[in-house]
Amino acid sequence: MNEHVSAMDMDFLDGDTLHEECGVFGILGHPDAATLTALGLHALQHRGQEAAGIVSFDGRQFHTEKHMGLVGDHYTNPATLAKLPGTIAIGHTRYSTTGEVALRNVQPLFAELEEGGIAIAHNGNFTNGLTMRRQIIATGAICQSTSDTEVVLHLIARSRHASTTDRFIDAIRQMEGGYSMLAMTRTKLIAARDPIGIRPLVMGELDGKPIFCSETCALDIIGAKYIRDVKNGEVIICELQPDGSISIDARPPVRPQPERLCMFEYVYFARPDSVVGGRNVYQTRKAAGANLAAEAPCDGDVVVPVPDGGTPAALGYAQASGIPFEYGIIRNHYVGRTFIEPTQQIRAFGVKLKHSANRAMIEGKRVILVDDSIVRGTTSLKIVQMIRDAGAKEVHIRVASPMIFHPDFYGIDTPDADKLLANQYADEKAMAKYIGADSLAFLSIDGLYRAVGGEPRNAANPQFTDHYFTGDYPTRLLDREAENFATRAAARAAKV
């Protein structure tokens, strides 16, 4: 990835979790467009805590506000929102998987084109973004950011189509990967989703005005009505007419394909109160926990979630097993990402800044710890030690998703394959020994599929995107292929 800067390497407090690139929100024709966008981004904060941006249009000019940090740190200020007048706005919360950590990469990105200004915001990752970037730079383009999203702006500018809408569609159909994208012009709000629907995008309505956002929880926070999911490969154009009405033009994909939503939306990313792909996320996570109890039973005295992600699965495990559920770990929600310099001494107790053991619930007991996933295992190791220090007799880990073997290239920030726990040890027994647990078990891929979709995985035509578990990548990885080719070429040259 171009100038890939991983927050896993920067933030020791959050170094053993997966990160999703971002969330998007847009609304057309509402007098409180920027305020509603800020509220929507607040609901989508879990999808990206690095930076946030909003672009609005007031009928004469575009206005932009971009800030590093959390939505609430900036967009609760009335003075900031006053700088974003107009009835059209799109916003973005960012966690970088492509591009350096800098204000110039904060979206929405804006450009003045022949047809007028356009702003775009993008959730996901283009698997040919670096390849396309090199091609446009080779032909004279000047890039102002290191974000792969900027490539789309250049392709829009170069398109030979007459209308902005057709230029936008022409541009995104040259891109590959997993994405949901919003574009905003002087009169239009355009929503698009990748051909197989890896990244989610929903359509809503408030006071008769259309809204698009990454998750339904962003509709709930403003009292908007959910209309439907944007279909995979679909482009929806909402346009403000001279009489104040809004036209909606939904364009289907040229070559329809079956939808394959990212399974990690259900495992980890989406908020539990969201509905993704017609399924309540909280219920799917509880079902995963129940399936885990059936597949990996354990003699224990108490089921304890690793907060917050493991809580619904732990409830499902407890209910299915009949073992009491207790909050044996208390999470501190007020730890800043970089509030203290990560010296070696601080690293030693860093996990305790986010989690503390509830001794009364675990002392002298056989504890079953339920988590949503394990990436590298370093956090699990520290939590197990914390539970033992609080007096637990035994510690058994149960994980409500399969082992992660493969990196992601569709917007999830994952370590290299050799740094994943599943690739470092021969089996679950060896992993448990490293972590310090008495036992360790993961949910099977079929168990997860049954929790989410109600039936086992169809190996011939998988119902979801699940390559991090299976190695079955649903699209071409052109940038990766180019990188591997360059590496092999360099190796051959070195031998000459």
Side-chain angles (χ1 to χ4, degrees):
M1 298 295 178
N2 43 324
E3 297 189 41
H4 183 180
V5 178
S6 170
M8 288 185 177
D9 298 324
M10 299 186 301
D11 188 356
F12 75 101
L13 292 177
D14 218 11
D16 192 28
T17 57
L18 298 172
H19 297 275
E20 221 274 346
E21 186 176 0
C22 45
V24 295
F25 185 99
I27 185 168
L28 173 67
H30 201 286
D32 298 317
T35 299
L36 293 170
T37 299
L39 289 168
L41 294 182
H42 182 75
L44 298 172
Q45 187 73 87
H46 58 288
R47 299 185 77 88
Q49 300 89 47
E50 189 176 275
I54 297 176
V55 173
S56 70
F57 181 70
D58 65 1
R60 294 178 300 170
Q61 61 181 355
F62 290 86
H63 305 270
T64 301
E65 282 288 316
K66 298 181 182 182
H67 299 276
M68 304 301 294
L70 303 177
V71 175
D73 292 342
H74 305 284
Y75 297 98
T76 54
N77 186 344
T80 299
L81 292 173
K83 298 176 183 178
L84 294 165
T87 62
I88 312 175
I90 63 172
H92 186 269
T93 59
R94 182 173 195 263
Y95 183 90
S96 64
T97 61
T98 303
E100 64 182 343
V101 181
L103 192 61
R104 63 176 173 155
N105 286 330
V106 179
Q107 298 180 34
L109 299 182
F110 175 79
E112 287 285 357
L113 305 178
E114 182 183 1
E115 294 295 311
I118 186 170
I120 60 174
H122 163 218
N123 167 33
N125 203 54
F126 298 123
T127 55
N128 66 338
L130 184 57
T131 301
M132 297 296 291
R133 180 187 176 87
R134 286 172 176 160
Q135 289 178 5
I136 63 173
I137 289 177
T139 58
I142 299 174
C143 291
Q144 300 297 314
S145 75
T146 59
S147 170
D148 59 350
T149 311
E150 188 177 8
V151 172
V152 178
L153 282 178
H154 283 280
L155 293 177
I156 293 170
R158 291 167 177 233
S159 174
R160 296 183 179 276
H161 289 275
S163 73
T164 304
T165 297
D166 290 334
R167 288 185 175 201
F168 174 80
I169 294 173
D170 181 39
I172 62 170
R173 286 180 176 164
Q174 297 178 59
M175 307 306 297
E176 298 206 23
Y179 60 85
S180 58
M181 179 170 282
L182 297 183
M184 183 186 89
T185 70
R186 292 171 294 180
T187 59
K188 298 175 184 177
L189 177 61
I190 306 172
R193 197 163 166 228
D194 67 78
I196 62 172
I198 298 175
R199 302 266 70 87
L201 189 63
V202 299
M203 182 179 186
E205 179 185 285
L206 179 66
D207 302 330
K209 312 303 181 183
I211 298 170
F212 296 97
C213 52
S214 294
E215 292 182 36
T216 59
C217 62
L219 299 175
D220 296 336
I221 198 173
I222 61 173
K225 177 184 177 182
Y226 165 79
I227 302 298
R228 66 177 179 89
D229 285 16
V230 177
K231 298 174 184 177
N232 51 300
E234 183 179 33
V235 179
I236 302 178
I237 305 100
C238 301
E239 184 171 10
L240 193 61
Q241 301 299 318
D243 63 359
S245 63
I246 296 174
S247 64
I248 299 178
D249 177 17
R251 301 191 186 181
V254 176
R255 292 179 295 276
Q257 300 180 55
E259 183 183 61
R260 288 185 64 179
L261 259 166
C262 174
M263 187 62 92
F264 251 106
E265 293 290 342
Y266 298 102
V267 171
Y268 182 85
F269 293 129
R271 247 175 54 166
D273 55 330
S274 285
V275 175
V276 176
R279 307 168 185 90
N280 177 265
V281 174
Y282 177 82
Q283 290 177 335
T284 63
R285 290 176 185 169
K286 276 192 70 178
N291 290 350
L292 181 62
E295 291 184 2
C298 181
D299 291 330
D301 301 311
V302 62
V303 175
V304 172
V306 177
D308 288 323
T311 301
L315 280 167
Y317 192 103
Q319 291 175 3
S321 66
I323 301 171
F325 170 96
E326 297 290 353
Y327 283 104
I329 301 173
I330 306 302
R331 182 180 177 189
N332 177 8
H333 290 267
Y334 303 99
V335 176
R337 287 176 59 83
T338 54
F339 87 108
I340 195 167
E341 184 68 23
T343 62
Q344 186 58 42
Q345 183 179 4
I346 297 300
R347 289 176 192 272
F349 63 80
V351 72
K352 295 182 180 179
L353 295 171
K354 291 186 73 172
H355 301 102
S356 61
N358 186 4
R359 181 179 289 269
M361 293 297 103
I362 59 180
E363 188 170 18
K365 297 179 180 178
R366 296 170 298 172
V367 176
I368 303 173
L369 276 177
V370 178
D371 206 349
D372 52 31
S373 57
I374 292 182
V375 183
R376 295 188 296 184
T378 53
T379 297
S380 300
L381 185 154
K382 294 173 184 177
I383 287 177
V384 168
Q385 186 59 52
M386 181 178 68
I387 297 297
R388 290 200 185 279
D389 290 344
K393 185 189 298 184
E394 296 175 8
V395 183
H396 303 271
I397 296 182
R398 295 295 182 266
V399 184
S401 66
M403 284 185 268
I404 302 172
F405 290 99
H406 306 277
D408 179 82
F409 302 98
Y410 303 104
I412 305 174
D413 193 11
T414 50
D416 294 334
D418 59 357
K419 294 181 181 178
L420 294 166
L421 180 69
N423 293 326
Q424 294 181 327
Y425 296 92
D427 52 29
E428 293 171 338
K429 185 176 180 180
M431 293 182 217
K433 183 177 180 181
Y434 162 72
I435 291 171
D438 292 281
S439 71
L440 169 66
F442 293 81
L443 183 63
S444 69
I445 188 70
D446 282 344
L448 180 58
Y449 264 75
R450 283 192 293 268
V452 175
E455 57 185 21
R457 183 178 190 267
N458 182 340
N461 295 290
Q463 305 94 307
F464 298 94
T465 290
D466 60 13
H467 50 277
Y468 21 75
F469 304 132
T470 65
D472 180 6
Y473 290 92
T475 74
R476 295 185 301 170
L477 304 175
L478 295 182
D479 289 349
R480 184 74 169 180
E481 293 168 8
E483 180 182 329
N484 291 339
F485 178 82
T487 300
R488 292 193 298 269
R492 287 195 298 270
K495 292 180 180 178
V496 176

